[in-house]
Amino acid sequence: MKKIFAIAGIAVLSLSGSVMAGDIAAGKTKAVICAACHGEKGISKLPMYPNLAGQKTAYLAKQLRDFKSGARKDLVMAPMSSTLSDADIDNLSAYYSSLK
C-alpha cells in the first residue's frame, strides 16, 4: 500500500512540475493584453474582473486551460484563451503567481 501512495505522489509531483516550469519573463511579455482587464500588475481596477497577482500557478493554469477547452464558459475569456499555447499558459501562470 505504501508503494502505491509513493507512486501516486511521484505522479502528482511530475504533473505539477510541468505547470511550475513557466518562464516568468515570457509570461510578463504575453500578459500585456491581459492588463486591460486584470491590471498591469495583476490587480484589477474593475470589480467584475478578478485579481491574478499571487494566485497559485496550478490554479491559474487550470482556469486558462478550462476556458480554452470550453469546460469553463466566459464570453471574454473564451476567445482570449483560444490562441494560447500550453507554454503560453504555463508562462502566464508563472508570471501572475510571482506577483505579490
Side-chain angles (χ1 to χ4, degrees), residues 30-53:
K30 192 74 173 178
V32 170
I33 195 163
C34 308
C37 297
H38 297 288
E40 187 177 328
K41 303 266 185 200
I43 305 294
S44 177
K45 294 183 193 261
L46 305 169
M48 65 186 289
Y49 298 114
N51 294 333
L52 302 179

Side-chain angles (χ1 to χ4, degrees), residues 54-75:
Q55 293 284 352
K56 294 181 180 183
T57 306
Y59 171 79
L60 292 169
K62 180 184 183 324
Q63 300 316 307
L64 284 171
R65 286 189 171 91
D66 285 353
F67 284 127
K68 183 176 179 173
S69 73
R72 184 170 179 190
K73 310 269 188 236
D74 185 86
L75 293 176

Side-chain angles (χ1 to χ4, degrees), residues 5-15:
F5 285 121
I7 292 170
I10 291 169
V12 168
L13 289 174
S14 296
L15 291 173

Side-chain angles (χ1 to χ4, degrees), residues 85-100:
S85 68
D86 283 340
D88 291 336
I89 290 172
D90 290 344
N91 296 342
L92 283 165
S93 299
Y95 170 65
Y96 281 114
S97 181
S98 75
L99 299 176
K100 302 296 174 209

